[in-house]
Amino acid sequence: MAAPSFSLAAPPLQTSLDRFVAMLRMPRDLLAIHPRSKGNSGKAAALNPALVLGTISAFEGFVEDFIAVGLAKQGATMGEIANEIGKWNNPDLRDFSTRVEAVFGGPGKSVAGRKIRMNINTRAGHSTWAEREVDWADVLLDASSWMQVRHALTHGLVPSWSDVRWPPPLRKDPKRPPASRVLRKSGNGHTLVLQNALNCCRIYTLGAQHIADSAAAWLGETLDWSKFPEFKLKK
């Protein structure tokens, strides 16, 4: 494949990442004020869904911005960029990966089949944090489940985030599993606990990094993630 011809007028991809970091300030600060006490955390439990909603919203903005800048760097017009961005809404990690492969192209474009190192908790939501190699396919499935959690919360499909039955996806699709897949099992259904919420934050931020680094490398850029929040509990 011939080397791409890039537009010098477009900003570096780092600008998209810097805006992503700025948008993650809200969920980062929410974690900082969480009491993180064992047992019933009372009203502080409302911070758990807020972490999820804040992180996924920031991710969605990053995806649109990153794809737009990438297209501009390849000489796309404003109309072409608007048309491409308008093809999807509420993108999850799978959508981001698919759009990167379709829009950026080039060698090394795909992250499929790889493993990604993450400090995540067990799906049950108990305190067993550990660095582990996670199959990329599982990361994509978890990200899709978290998008189902987001839909249920933002559209009022659940009366609470604690001990309720979460609705299944509107369409049966093995690539779009239910919200309950990533939540803790409880007496009447499933509960969104802090450990679950932190899993979501890490999956969407580290997953975004996994995809963006691949695309940036093909465009001849290196992204600086040093200011990226880790979403780790401090002892």
Side-chain angles (χ1 to χ4, degrees):
M1 180 179 292
S5 176
F6 300 139
S7 170
L8 297 179
L13 289 168
Q14 184 68 39
T15 59
S16 295
L17 174 56
D18 292 342
R19 283 191 280 267
F20 191 16
V21 171
M23 291 299 295
L24 287 170
R25 177 182 176 182
M26 189 252 303
R28 182 200 67 190
D29 288 351
L30 287 175
L31 177 59
I33 65 174
H34 198 292
R36 300 188 290 277
S37 57
K38 293 184 179 180
N40 188 351
S41 55
K43 292 182 179 180
L47 294 171
N48 302 337
L51 283 167
V52 172
L53 296 175
T55 299
I56 293 181
S57 294
F59 168 81
E60 291 175 340
F62 169 68
V63 168
E64 294 185 356
D65 195 75
F66 189 86
I67 294 295
V69 171
L71 284 168
K73 291 181 71 66
Q74 297 178 77
T77 66
M78 294 291 288
E80 290 170 334
I81 293 173
N83 181 64
E84 183 61 38
I85 298 302
K87 289 181 179 179
W88 81 91
N89 54 30
N90 302 135
D92 60 14
L93 282 182
R94 188 184 303 279
D95 297 320
F96 185 27
S97 180
T98 299
R99 297 320 307 164
V100 162
E101 292 188 17
V103 170
F104 286 71
K109 64 183 180 180
S110 178
V111 296
R114 301 181 187 178
K115 289 182 179 290
I116 178 172
R117 192 164 185 81
M118 288 185 172
N119 185 317
I120 60 174
N121 196 274
T122 59
R123 187 167 294 123
H126 299 291
S127 299
T128 54
W129 302 106
E131 287 281 350
R132 65 194 76 192
E133 295 288 332
V134 184
D135 287 335
W136 182 240
D138 289 335
V139 173
L140 294 181
L141 287 174
D142 281 353
S144 292
S145 288
W146 279 114
M147 188 57 73
Q148 297 298 325
V149 172
R150 176 198 178 278
H151 289 332
L153 291 171
T154 56
H155 295 288
L157 301 180
V158 289
S160 175
W161 50 86
S162 177
D163 197 16
V164 294
R165 294 188 180 278
W166 294 73
L170 293 177
R171 299 178 182 177
K172 291 185 178 180
D173 184 346
K175 292 183 179 180
R176 311 288 178 178
S180 58
R181 183 178 189 272
V182 291
L183 303 175
R184 179 189 283 181
K185 180 73 174 176
S186 58
N188 295 317
H190 290 81
T191 301
L192 199 176
V193 298
L194 177 60
Q195 288 85 356
N196 299 146
L198 291 180
N199 277 350
C200 175
C201 295
R202 293 173 188 170
I203 285 169
Y204 267 95
T205 54
L206 294 176
Q209 179 178 356
H210 194 56
I211 297 168
D213 275 342
S214 177
W218 183 66
L219 290 174
E221 297 187 34
T222 301
L223 300 176
D224 178 8
W225 299 87
S226 60
K227 296 181 180 179
F228 216 49
E230 293 184 309
F231 292 106
K232 290 184 178 180
L233 293 175
K234 294 182 180 181
K235 295 182 180 180

